[in-house]
Amino acid sequence: RHLPLSARGSVPIRSERTMETQRPESLPPRVDVVIVGGGVCGCVCAAELARRGATVLIVEKEADLGDEASGRSFGGLRLQGRHPAELSLARTALELWAKAAQTLPPPDIEFVQGGNLYVAEQESEIEELGITRDRAHEAGFSDVRLLTPDETREIVPDLSGAFAGALYSPRDGHCDPKKAVQAYAALAKAHGALVALRTKAVDLLVSKGAVRGIVTDRGELRADCVVVTAGVWTPYLLKRLGIRIPLKRIVYTCAETSPLPPLFRPTIRGFSFSVRQRPNGQLVLGGGLNATVESAVSLEDLGDLRLWLPRYLAHRRQIVLRLDASSLWNEIRAAAFGRPAAERVPQANCG
């Protein structure tokens, strides 16, 4: 938490554009699979499907792949602190990330398996970390352990200031999320996948009860299979099929510093902060377990009120609800005039 003076002047997290920005003159008339959204899920799907021989096209509305949540996330790869239902998937995912770090084409995804350290700044937080440890042991992760301050400094000698202890999981790691997207995209392209950047999906092609492709801002594209990995914009594309995904967007801020000398390998998380160090020395900074996040209120939230309201009430000190009058008015107009989902305001952002 107590960083060198040179680390305190952090800057907004960067957006490295090393992918070829491409907008084909025309889209192919048909592919086996079209993937809507060029984040990490879309690029991993594209790489695996193309490897198996499918003709694949990734459609991405931005000028580069991984320009939204995938490329701007904190980059942690952890087992620790997961909900019990997530643990099996998280274990497999971490194994796959470790393998990918050895086999993916450039760029280097900066995979570091240095563990995850939850730091308790107050004695009252130790009890909560103890519950997390017990859950990890029940799931078979017997190497997760509570540490005293002295034991914690054996792992991170530069950790200064007063704190009560820490919870350590040695298996966890981190990587650079933007480079991970780029590496999987390179693998997909090596197997023949195509990428259409600055191409926005606005609707699904549906005929005789089946999805036959997508509608983009550049015309129709037919496909035998449509994979929607559009992140927060996914519900707007799937709504017309009667599929409701109760996804609520939040704003979580990260930043980076200039390069510093090597300080630590683990990802360090506290109740008020998170930090990891990239191989080039930069620190990636984020909020902690009790971070305050922001969420915009919309008409769509009314349909999922029973799902998100209890969670909001339980964490209301950490969630700032924001009312955007302009967006709300646009939603009311769209609902009043009965325009299809693809024509409503959110479609301008569908990946």
Side-chain angles (χ1 to χ4, degrees):
R1 191 177 185 183
H2 300 273
L3 301 175
L5 184 61
S6 58
R8 294 176 186 166
S10 58
V11 296
I13 200 162
R14 85 254 176 254
S15 177
E16 296 175 352
R17 296 187 179 276
T18 59
M19 288 296 299
E20 176 188 355
T21 54
Q22 54 197 77
R23 180 180 171 108
E25 291 297 326
S26 61
L27 299 175
R30 187 179 193 90
V31 292
D32 294 332
V33 183
V34 60
I35 297 175
V36 180
V40 67
C41 291
C43 291
V44 170
C45 287
E48 183 61 24
L49 290 167
R51 184 186 68 82
R52 298 186 185 196
T55 57
V56 180
L57 173 68
I58 301 174
V59 173
E60 168 57 50
K61 72 181 188 312
E62 301 294 338
D64 199 5
L65 298 176
D67 253 13
E68 292 208 342
S70 285
R72 301 171 186 272
S73 67
F74 182 73
L77 304 170
R78 61 181 172 84
L79 299 172
Q80 190 172 198
R82 294 288 185 188
H83 187 280
E86 298 178 300
L87 283 171
S88 178
L89 182 61
R91 187 204 320 253
T92 301
L94 188 56
E95 292 170 355
L96 290 173
W97 278 113
K99 181 179 179 181
Q102 302 297 320
T103 58
L104 282 173
D108 175 14
I109 67 172
E110 301 183 6
F111 178 75
V112 177
Q113 198 159 13
N116 188 76
L117 197 66
Y118 276 144
V119 177
E121 300 171 73
Q122 303 173 22
E123 287 291 341
S124 59
E125 297 166 352
I126 290 290
E127 182 178 352
E128 187 170 337
L129 294 184
I131 295 173
T132 302
R133 177 204 55 191
D134 294 343
R135 288 176 178 170
H137 287 182
E138 290 171 3
F141 303 121
S142 58
D143 52 358
V144 175
R145 56 197 177 100
L146 279 172
L147 306 177
T148 65
D150 288 341
E151 290 172 328
T152 304
R153 289 193 179 95
E154 290 178 8
I155 298 172
V156 184
D158 289 317
L159 193 61
S160 60
F163 59 96
L167 183 66
Y168 182 56
S169 172
R171 308 187 195 196
D172 296 3
H174 56 84
C175 74
D176 184 89
K178 182 72 171 182
K179 289 185 175 181
V181 172
Q182 294 166 348
Y184 270 108
L187 180 61
K189 293 167 74 174
H191 287 299
L194 303 174
V195 178
L197 299 175
R198 291 171 288 170
T199 303
K200 180 169 56 184
V202 297
D203 206 351
L204 300 173
L205 280 176
V206 180
S207 175
K208 298 180 180 178
V211 176
R212 307 294 183 181
I214 63 172
V215 179
T216 77
D217 57 353
R218 301 172 56 198
E220 296 182 354
L221 173 65
R222 297 193 173 273
D224 296 327
C225 181
V226 177
V227 179
V228 182
T229 57
V232 296
W233 312 117
T234 297
Y236 299 106
L237 279 179
L238 300 187
K239 187 176 180 180
R240 68 163 299 181
L241 301 179
I243 300 173
R244 187 172 187 86
I245 300 178
L247 192 62
K248 189 163 178 60
R249 301 183 296 276
I250 63 171
V251 178
Y252 177 91
T253 301
C254 291
E256 284 185 337
T257 69
S258 300
L260 296 168
L263 297 171
F264 51 87
R265 281 175 53 81
T267 299
I268 301 176
R269 300 174 187 272
F271 284 74
S272 61
F273 74 102
S274 296
V275 61
R276 68 177 181 88
Q277 187 165 34
R278 299 178 63 192
N280 70 354
Q282 288 181 289
L283 300 183
V284 180
L285 309 168
L289 300 177
N290 289 336
T292 299
V293 297
E294 183 179 288
S295 183
V297 178
S298 72
L299 288 181
E300 295 288 330
D301 294 331
L302 296 178
D304 304 317
L305 199 62
R306 65 181 181 84
L307 296 175
W308 69 264
L309 186 58
R311 291 182 62 83
Y312 167 73
L313 293 175
H315 302 280
R316 57 187 177 277
R317 294 183 179 179
Q318 297 168 243
I319 302 174
V320 177
L321 295 181
R322 178 175 56 82
L323 181 63
D324 187 329
S326 177
S327 296
L328 194 61
W329 173 242
N330 284 332
E331 284 190 275
I332 293 172
R333 289 179 58 197
F337 289 103
R339 287 186 285 164
E343 295 179 6
R344 295 182 186 177
V345 174
Q347 70 90 20
N349 292 310
C350 288

